[in-house]
Amino acid sequence: MRAAFSVVAMLGGIAGAQTGMLRPVDAFPIREDSLVIQRHVEAGKPFTVAGTSGAMPGQQEGTFEAWVLPVKLLSHFAIRADVEGYSVPIDLNADAAEIEVSPDRTVITYSHIAFTVRQIMFAPDDAEDGTGAVVLFQIDSTRPMDLTFSFTPEMRPMWPQRSQGLPSADWVKQGNGGFYVLHTDFPDLAGAVAIPNAQPGILAPYQEKPRFYPLELKLHYDPKRDTNRYFPLLMAMGTTAETATNARLQGKLERLNSELPRIYAKHAERYRQMRDSLTAIRTPDAGLNDDFAWGEVSIEQLRARAQPSGEIGLVAGYYSSGDSARPGFGWYFGRDSLYTLYAVNGFGDFGLTRAELEFLMKRQRDDGKIMHEYPQTAAYFDWKDFSYAYAAADSTPLFLTALLDYVRTSGDVEFLRQHREAVERAWRFETTHDTDGDGIYDNSQGTGWVESWPTGMPHQEIYLALLDQQASAAMSKLAGLLDDKATADTAGARAVDLAKKIEAEYFDSASQQYAFSRNVDGTLDRTATVYPAIAWWNGGVGLAHPQTSFRRWASHDFSTDWGLRDVAESEPIYDPISYHQGSVWPLFTGWEAVAEYRAGRPLAGYEHLMQNADLTTAQDLGAVTELLSGAFFQPFGRSTSHQLWSSAMVITPALRGLFGVEADGLSHLIDLDPHLPADWDSATVERLHVGASVCSLTYQRQGANMVVKVSNASGPAVRLASAVKGAKVASDGASIAFALPPAEVAVPHGLPLPGARTAQMKVLGETADAHSLKLDLEAEADSVVELKVRRNAAKLNLHVEGGTIEAAPAGSAAGVEKLVVKFPSGVGYQGQTVTLRW
């Protein structure tokens, strides 16, 4: 078993006033934020503090590892207290009581009858090169006490850069305290750790037997002297022979120490500006409003500065690395970021989109293929010796569709012109890599979605074929913007042709569903999967025969109470704890929600959107995890808990599905197809970015209509449009009225308790005509489910078959009543049809 190092921190006297000394910091204001999550600590649940230069993945009881990216500096951080006159040593991590997560910081509070300690953690962008995240310890005690902070020194560059064993430590005395220097076997890699006024613990002399002793930083706290001070844990790194010296590391620690109030203020101000500039939603569901905002924060926190180039790119996510040297999926990922850019475009951070696209284009292979995986340490060895960079085939078509989404949303045609060569190379690659001659881009160029499959690597997945079709449609539009009519026509014709080929090659008329893949011999793998749902990701007409698939995706065969399995539970290869054959990915749940909204199935779309949104506060507070069991409500032990595209799959289905927003910055136009829940009277999308314009949309029920109005805050006037039948656009394009059906139904949402199996109601289908609404539902046998029904027409004579209408609870919106549905007896899930007639 690996020996743990300890850092014992005894909070000592305030450092002298000499220039350059490390010293406690007078308490400075910590910004209050309306976006905050507060919970009682749950031991073992993760938290993540991350920024462009540093990251601290940890557990809610306060233990963490600290990265000065891309090097793990320390791990297994823990605290012990010894209170004067109180003979029992106190394990603070066992007394962790509360966790508070705000965009700019995470605070863990340790509570004891004799003291309270607050561990305030943040990861500023403005820290000096070679420094990362910071911890401020704020102590309030009735008596003097000693605190012991323990950690394992690591100095391990992120895998796959080579590293060594545990580093050796020297103590550098400085006035009343000092700091540790963590030496490696390499002259160009060293770290430093300090708490002002700290004293060292055991430092075994060379003559002693080789053995790891706890590194101890001892700090003594006196309430008469040290109240209203922060004691910062300061960390620095040197990654060249010049910066890894004791003197340079000391200088970094001292500057960080002296600049902390300014650094934090600038850090907090960045998040304030972000809140005031990015898109927000205001709905009757306060939790959804916050979940949407947290999605933005989560994505922005996964920006990482590549070394030594200084470029900003998006990493896939963070989770504690344990004894390894990779914190979750802390690499730059192509397809992960490209799916995420739809959300980034939606909330208006066009600068981040440009930076990410340029990051990927800089690493585009000479033949045009777009990279997928790129570690934060890639600049320090020959990354081409590894097989990961271009192992995925889907990054290339996703690059074309995501680029079009950016250009269309932002109106930035000049960016397209500047990168014309990269676009054309990606297009040539995609259209020249087809091994069987059917004209469809295939898995000969790497994985489409699955990285493993029980029958072996598929020759051609429907997922990849559908992306190829959508990329062709995207290239047609991109080429048109580049005045390349020949390519626009060729790409457009290819998109039409591919749609026909996919129907011919993948649709199984016997089951009325779409196959997962084609084998080399032309036979089909008919496993029922979620992957055909990607057909609606970029709009368009989707698939020609989707009814059976949609019904099955919405059923308990695919849909758990916490998201969508990728493989149906009834399939022979289903395995709920596998990576690809039955687990639940919020990514897939987001695909499905978008598809259901765009295909006219808003109740099922809402169920899946809200499953993702509710996950925001289920594990790593403020972020959505990577994947969960397909059988029980529980994330995988290796699930990256702060996951990039998982949080994105709250934003994109909400904006483009629920609110029905398609922004066209090229034409200063918003195309609308809204699907607001029946129990919402009104809602607002604030600070929507459409090209150079910023505007707000207000949705308001007015009798039998939903009226949407646009108000401009800046830039050219934005007009509204809609292809929805019966939508009436005002002559000035500033408002649009959508006719509402005479009656609507709203469904509940909410995650189950941890460890639960799927038991909630599912909406399999919804069919409406001029005088009725038919809902095909399923739920556990003998269960009773309460829905809400709204009468939009005055004095509507409403009859219900399959349920009963009761008076709504106090506080419900006008016109909203309770619809109670009792499901039949039996075993397992039972179907029930509810029909409303008027």
Side-chain angles (χ1 to χ4, degrees):
M1 181 176 170
R2 194 174 177 186
F5 280 78
S6 284
V7 185
V8 180
M10 290 174 13
L11 298 176
I14 303 300
Q18 306 97 301
T19 301
M21 287 292 181
L22 298 179
R23 59 176 62 84
V25 179
D26 289 341
F28 52 81
I30 299 295
R31 175 175 173 256
E32 295 295 325
D33 199 304
S34 59
L35 186 64
V36 61
I37 303 172
Q38 294 176 301
R39 294 288 188 275
H40 294 311
V41 161
E42 294 185 62
K45 277 201 171 182
F47 72 82
T48 306
V49 175
T52 57
S53 301
M56 289 194 300
Q59 288 74 49
Q60 288 186 11
E61 61 268 30
T63 60
F64 62 83
E65 61 189 46
W67 291 75
V68 179
L69 296 171
V71 179
K72 179 161 65 168
L73 181 67
L74 59 84
S75 66
H76 301 92
F77 192 92
I79 314 173
R80 190 185 75 236
D82 292 280
V83 179
E84 184 178 284
Y86 198 83
S87 60
V88 177
I90 300 156
D91 177 1
L92 261 68
N93 301 104
D95 284 336
E98 298 290 325
I99 182 169
E100 176 185 299
V101 180
S102 298
D104 65 289
R105 68 190 182 279
T106 293
V107 181
I108 294 173
T109 299
Y110 306 100
S111 179
H112 186 266
I113 59 172
F115 61 81
T116 295
V117 175
R118 299 176 74 232
Q119 179 175 304
I120 306 167
M121 301 168 283
F122 65 100
D125 289 351
D126 194 39
E128 179 183 357
D129 182 41
T131 60
V134 175
V135 186
L136 304 174
F137 291 101
Q138 185 179 38
I139 302 108
D140 184 9
S141 176
T142 60
R143 301 180 182 183
M145 67 177 183
D146 300 327
L147 293 178
T148 302
F149 302 86
S150 62
F151 65 83
T152 301
E154 296 275 2
M155 296 305 299
R156 300 180 70 185
M158 196 177 295
W159 186 84
Q161 186 180 358
R162 290 186 177 93
S163 61
Q164 47 146 40
L166 291 174
S168 59
D170 285 337
W171 179 256
V172 178
K173 183 173 176 54
Q174 183 198 47
N176 293 334
F179 59 95
Y180 280 113
V181 176
L182 307 180
H183 297 286
T184 70
D185 294 335
F186 310 109
D188 58 353
L189 181 61
V193 181
I195 294 178
N197 295 348
Q199 303 300 316
I202 297 173
L203 282 172
Y206 177 78
Q207 300 91 323
E208 187 55 54
K209 293 178 182 180
R211 176 183 170 186
F212 287 124
Y213 290 89
L215 279 178
E216 296 180 341
L217 287 168
K218 302 180 177 180
L219 294 162
H220 179 75
Y221 173 83
D222 185 341
K224 294 180 180 179
R225 178 189 58 205
D226 298 331
T227 302
N228 296 322
R229 303 274 188 175
Y230 293 139
F231 290 85
L233 174 68
L234 305 169
M235 297 170 282
M237 190 81 66
T239 54
T240 66
E242 293 75 22
T243 61
T245 65
N246 288 11
R248 291 290 292 274
L249 290 168
Q250 177 176 334
K252 289 184 179 185
L253 292 177
E254 290 172 350
R255 286 189 292 276
L256 179 61
N257 185 204
S258 65
E259 290 287 304
L260 275 175
R262 181 196 63 80
I263 289 171
Y264 173 76
K266 185 172 182 179
H267 170 70
E269 176 63 14
R270 176 180 176 272
Y271 279 100
R272 187 197 65 77
Q273 291 178 358
M274 194 175 85
R275 289 288 306 277
D276 291 345
S277 62
L278 300 183
T279 302
I281 63 172
R282 297 288 177 261
T283 77
D285 187 339
L288 176 59
N289 302 340
D290 286 351
D291 295 339
F292 185 96
W294 277 115
E296 297 174 340
V297 169
S298 176
I299 291 168
E300 294 279 342
Q301 288 176 340
L302 293 175
R303 299 153 53 251
R305 193 176 305 281
Q307 299 296 337
S309 68
E311 301 163 87
I312 292 292
L314 288 167
V315 298
Y318 289 115
Y319 186 65
S320 295
S321 62
D323 290 330
S324 74
R326 186 177 177 187
F329 286 106
W331 290 1
Y332 306 100
F333 274 67
R335 72 171 166 219
D336 298 50
S337 62
L338 290 165
Y339 274 118
T340 301
L341 291 185
Y342 288 81
V344 177
N345 297 335
F347 63 69
D349 191 348
F350 296 144
L352 177 55
T353 296
R354 288 191 297 271
E356 180 60 29
L357 290 171
E358 287 176 336
F359 187 94
L360 297 176
M361 286 186 281
K362 184 175 179 179
R363 292 156 180 82
Q364 185 179 23
R365 206 164 67 183
D366 290 343
D367 62 1
K369 192 174 187 182
I370 299 298
M371 60 146 276
H372 176 49
E373 299 185 41
Y374 191 83
Q376 293 194 42
T377 52
Y380 300 99
F381 58 93
D382 191 352
W383 181 229
K384 293 179 182 178
D385 289 346
F386 293 79
S387 60
Y388 302 104
Y390 302 96
D394 55 349
S395 294
T396 304
L398 281 167
F399 167 73
L400 295 172
T401 61
L403 178 61
L404 175 64
D405 192 75
Y406 166 71
V407 173
R408 183 171 52 206
T409 306
S410 69
D412 188 0
V413 180
E414 183 56 31
F415 182 84
L416 171 63
R417 295 191 184 105
Q418 291 171 1
H419 298 287
R420 179 172 189 156
E421 182 181 352
V423 174
E424 291 175 343
R425 279 193 292 146
W427 175 241
R428 281 195 300 271
F429 181 87
E430 181 153 340
T431 53
T432 54
H433 288 81
D434 163 32
T435 56
D436 61 3
D438 69 349
I440 304 177
Y441 182 60
D442 58 42
N443 288 54
S444 63
Q445 289 307 306
T447 59
W449 174 256
V450 300
E451 297 166 1
S452 61
W453 196 250
T455 58
M457 177 63 70
H459 166 64
Q460 184 185 89
E461 301 168 44
I462 190 172
Y463 162 79
L464 197 58
L466 288 165
L467 286 183
D468 188 20
Q469 188 274 332
Q470 293 173 63
S472 299
M475 187 62 197
S476 178
K477 293 181 174 66
L478 291 169
L481 293 170
L482 292 170
D483 298 320
D484 181 355
K485 186 176 185 303
T487 301
D489 291 345
T490 300
R494 185 172 187 269
V496 173
D497 184 54
L498 287 179
K500 295 176 181 177
K501 287 181 178 179
I502 290 168
E503 291 293 334
E505 293 189 11
Y506 285 93
F507 181 63
D508 178 13
S509 58
S511 67
Q512 291 292 298
Q513 295 177 85
Y514 290 84
F516 162 64
S517 66
R518 294 186 66 82
N519 302 316
V520 176
D521 62 4
T523 58
L524 293 176
D525 181 340
R526 292 181 171 83
T527 304
T529 71
V530 71
Y531 304 115
I534 203 65
W536 287 264
W537 180 248
N538 286 287
V541 297
L543 293 168
H545 306 89
Q547 290 79 10
T548 301
S549 294
F550 271 123
R551 185 180 181 89
R552 194 169 180 187
W553 288 331
S555 77
H556 73 282
D557 201 15
F558 272 96
S559 185
T560 72
D561 297 345
W562 51 93
L564 209 71
R565 305 180 181 104
D566 59 341
V567 170
E569 185 180 33
S570 58
E571 287 289 344
I573 68 167
Y574 167 73
D575 180 358
I577 62 172
S578 69
Y579 201 61
H580 282 136
Q581 287 90 53
S583 52
V584 169
W585 295 62
L587 174 70
F588 307 146
T589 311
W591 290 354
E592 176 66 3
V594 169
E596 286 165 333
Y597 275 120
R598 286 175 168 166
R601 296 170 176 263
L603 292 181
Y606 177 78
E607 286 184 323
H608 289 125
L609 161 63
M610 295 311 300
Q611 286 169 351
N612 272 359
D614 289 340
L615 286 172
T616 302
T617 53
Q619 190 196 25
D620 194 330
L621 299 174
V624 181
T625 197
E626 178 194 10
L627 74 164
L628 306 96
S629 167
F632 305 103
F633 178 41
Q634 182 64 40
F636 278 27
R638 279 278 185 179
S639 176
T640 296
S641 62
H642 190 138
Q643 176 78 359
L644 183 70
W645 61 14
S646 296
S647 290
M649 291 300 163
V650 176
I651 293 168
T652 300
L655 271 184
R656 306 193 187 203
L658 183 93
F659 286 101
V661 171
E662 292 295 334
D664 184 351
L666 298 168
S667 303
H668 308 295
L669 192 72
I670 301 173
D671 189 42
L672 288 171
D673 183 14
H675 302 283
L676 269 57
D679 54 343
W680 289 10
D681 286 336
S682 62
T684 303
V685 178
E686 299 177 347
R687 297 183 298 278
L688 184 66
H689 295 246
V690 183
S693 302
V694 178
C695 62
S696 292
L697 298 175
T698 58
Y699 297 68
Q700 182 67 55
R701 289 178 180 272
Q702 296 181 6
N705 293 304
M706 173 72 72
V707 178
V708 185
K709 296 180 179 180
V710 61
S711 57
N712 275 67
S714 63
V718 174
R719 295 173 294 112
L720 302 180
S722 180
V724 174
K725 184 179 180 181
K728 297 179 181 179
V729 183
S731 59
D732 60 359
S735 67
I736 186 168
F738 295 90
L740 294 169
E744 295 177 87
V745 169
V747 295
H749 70 88
L751 294 174
L753 294 174
R757 281 190 177 271
T758 294
Q760 295 177 5
M761 186 197 74
K762 315 297 179 189
V763 181
L764 308 186
E766 45 192 300
T767 308
D769 59 29
H771 296 284
S772 68
L773 171 63
K774 177 184 174 184
L775 302 178
D776 292 324
L777 310 174
E778 65 170 13
E780 285 280 282
D782 293 312
S783 62
V784 177
V785 178
E786 294 183 0
L787 313 179
K788 293 180 180 178
V789 62
R790 183 178 201 124
R791 304 177 195 237
N792 292 317
K795 299 180 181 180
L796 185 70
N797 188 9
L798 190 61
H799 301 278
V800 179
E801 300 168 9
T804 57
I805 293 179
E806 300 177 6
S812 299
V816 174
E817 299 164 286
K818 185 163 60 176
L819 174 60
V820 180
V821 181
K822 172 75 167 59
F823 287 83
S825 299
V827 178
Y829 268 79
Q830 299 292 317
Q832 177 71 23
T833 298
V834 177
T835 304
L836 283 69
R837 302 186 189 279
W838 50 86

